[in-house]
C-alpha cells in the first residue's frame, strides 16, 4: 500500500538541513563582521533573526512529525479494515461454495423473522397456480351466468323486471352460487360424503314441492276452484298468475321459522347454525324456482346423460355408476340447468 505524501519526510533529513544552515551561518557572520565591524546593532539583528528562524524551523519539524504520525495511523487503520473485509469475503465465498443455501446461517424461520413479508419461491409458485385457477373459475361462472340469463330471457315473451328480486335470472344465479359456494362450505365443514349430501338435497327438494302443493290446494279451496280441473284452470289464467305472485311474495319474504317448518318435514333436524342456514336457504331457492311463470322443476332422470356433468369433471366414458347429487332443472321440456352426478361405488 502507498504511503501518504509526508511519509518520505524523515527527522534525519530535517536535521541535516538545519546543520547545513548552521555551518553556513558563521562564515556569513565573519564576513559581515569584517565588513560591518562598525555596526554592532546589525549583528544583533542578524542573530535575532537567526534565532527566530531556527525556532520556527523546529516548530515546523515538530508539526510535520505529528502530521506524519497521523497519516501513518490512518494508513494502518485502513489496511486493517481492508484485510478484515478480505477475510470475511473469503469466508462467505467458501461457505457459499460448500452449500446450496448462500446464507446457511439463515434458515426459513430466520428469514421470516427478519423480513415479515418474506415469501419462498415455492410459496410464490403455489400462489400463482391458485390465482390462475381462480381466474379460470371466475370466467367459467361468468359464462354460465350468461347462459342462464339467455335461457331465462328466452323463456319469457317479455323482458324481465330488473326491480323484481325474485325474477327468474336472479333466482337462477342464486341457485348456481348456492350449488358451488354454500354446498362446498357445508360439505367441507362436516366432511360429508356425496351419498349423504345427495340424500339431504333430494329430501329438501321433495319437501318444497309438497309444501307448495299443499298451499295451492288450500288457496283453491278458499277460492272455490277445483285444483285439478284443467278446463277451469285454463279459463282462469289471470287468477292463477295472481295466486302464483302471492305465493312468490310469501316464500321470498319467509323468515327462518317459515322454512324451518319445511325442513322439519324431511326429518333431517339440523343441529348447528351452518346446517340450519344451508337447509333453509336450499328450500327458499327451490321454492322460488317452482313459483316462476312458467315454473321450473327438478328432474332426477339419470338417463339424460347429455344434460349431466360429473362432480369431478370426468368424461362420460369414465363414469361407473352415476348417481345424482344435484338434479336437472327443467322448464317444461327445456333444460335450464344441467344436473350433477357422482360415481356410487
Amino acid at each position: 500500500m502507498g504511503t501518504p505524501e509526508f511519509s518520505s519526510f524523515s527527522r534525519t533529513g530535517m536535521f541535516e538541513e538545519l546543520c547545513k544552515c548552521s555551518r553556513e551561518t558563521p562564515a556569513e557572520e565573519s564576513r559581515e563582521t569584517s565588513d560591518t565591524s562598525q555596526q554592532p546593532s546589525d549583528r544583533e539583528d542578524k542573530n535575532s533573526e537567526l534565532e527566530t528562524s531556527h525556532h520556527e524551523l523546529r516548530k515546523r519539524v515538530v508539526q510535520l512529525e505529528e502530521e506524519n504520525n497521523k497519516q501513518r495511523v490512518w494508513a494502518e487503520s485502513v489496511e486493517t479494515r481492508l484485510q478484515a473485509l478480505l477475510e470475511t469475503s473469503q469466508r462467505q465465498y467458501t461457505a457459499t461454495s460448500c452449500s446450496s443455501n448462500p446464507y446457511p446461517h439463515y434458515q426459513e424461520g430466520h428469514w421470516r423473522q427478519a423480513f415479515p413479508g418474506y415469501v419462498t419461491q415455492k410459496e410464490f409458485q403455489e400462489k400463482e397456480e391458485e390465482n390462475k385457477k381462480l381466474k379460470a373459475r371466475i370466467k367459467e361462472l361468468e359464462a354460465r351466468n350468461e347462459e342462464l340469463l339467455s335461457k331465462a330471457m328466452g323463456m319469457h315473451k317479455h323482458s324481465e323486471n330488473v326491480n323484481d328480486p325474485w325474477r327468474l335470472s336472479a333466482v337462477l344465479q342464486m341457485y348456481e352460487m348456492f350449488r358451488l359456494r354454500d354446498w362446498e362450505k357445508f360439505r367441507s365443514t362436516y366432511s360429508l360424503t356425496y351419498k349423504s349430501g345427495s340424500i339431504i338435497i333430494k329430501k329438501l327438494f321433495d319437501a318444497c314441492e309438497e309444501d307448495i302443493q299443499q298451499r295451492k290446494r288450500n288457496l283453491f279451496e278458499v277460492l272455490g276452484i277445483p285444483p285439478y280441473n284443467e278446463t277451469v284452470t285454463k279459463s282462469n289464467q289471470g287468477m292463477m298468475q295472481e295466486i302464483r305472485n302471492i305465493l312468490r311474495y310469501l316464500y321470498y319474504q319467509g323468515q327462518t321459522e317459515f322454512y324451518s317448518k319445511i325442513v322439519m318435514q324431511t326429518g333431517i333436524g339440523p343441529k348447528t347454525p351452518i346446517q340450519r342456514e344451508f337447509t333453509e336457504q336450499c328450500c327458499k331457492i327451490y321454492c322460488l324456482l317452482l313459483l316462476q311463470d312458467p315454473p321450473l322443476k327438478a328432474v332426477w332422470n339419470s338417463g339424460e346423460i347429455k344434460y349431466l356433468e360429473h362432480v369431478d369433471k370426468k368424461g362420460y366414458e369414465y363414469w361407473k355408476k352415476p348417481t345424482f347429487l344435484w338434479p336437472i332443472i327443467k322448464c317444461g321440456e327445456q333444460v335450464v340447468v344441467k344436473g350433477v352426478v357422482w360415481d356410487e361405488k
Side-chain angles (χ1 to χ4, degrees), residues 226-290:
Y228 299 107
N229 190 320
E230 292 294 330
T231 305
V232 176
T233 302
K234 290 180 180 179
S235 64
N236 293 278
Q237 289 296 326
M239 183 181 292
M240 291 300 300
Q241 186 174 356
E242 290 299 323
I243 291 174
R244 190 178 291 110
N245 288 337
I246 292 171
L247 290 174
R248 284 170 62 188
Y249 179 81
L250 176 65
Y251 280 88
Y252 181 78
Q253 296 293 337
Q255 302 300 319
T256 302
E257 296 79 9
F258 182 89
Y259 289 104
S260 64
K261 292 179 181 179
I262 301 177
V263 175
M264 287 177 62
Q265 297 174 18
T266 64
I268 296 174
K271 300 178 181 179
T272 66
I274 295 178
Q275 289 175 338
R276 285 194 294 271
E277 180 182 0
F278 176 83
T279 54
E280 291 170 6
Q281 185 71 2
C282 182
C283 291
K284 180 176 182 177
I285 294 174
Y286 186 51
C287 286
L288 291 175
L289 288 174
L290 289 170

Side-chain angles (χ1 to χ4, degrees), residues 1-4 7 72 74-83:
M1 179 180 294
T3 56
S7 61
R72 186 172 62 254
W74 177 84
E76 291 175 353
S77 175
V78 171
E79 186 175 359
T80 301
R81 283 181 288 174
L82 289 175
Q83 184 64 27

Side-chain angles (χ1 to χ4, degrees), residues 46 98 110 116 132-133 136 146 150 215 219 228-230 237 242 250 277 290 323:
K46 291 287 185 180
C98 298
H110 295 89
K132 289 180 180 178
K133 290 181 181 178
E146 289 293 330
S150 63
R215 291 182 187 274
L219 284 173
Y228 299 107
N229 190 320
E230 292 294 330
Q237 289 296 326
E242 290 299 323
L250 176 65
E277 180 182 0
L290 289 170
T323 305

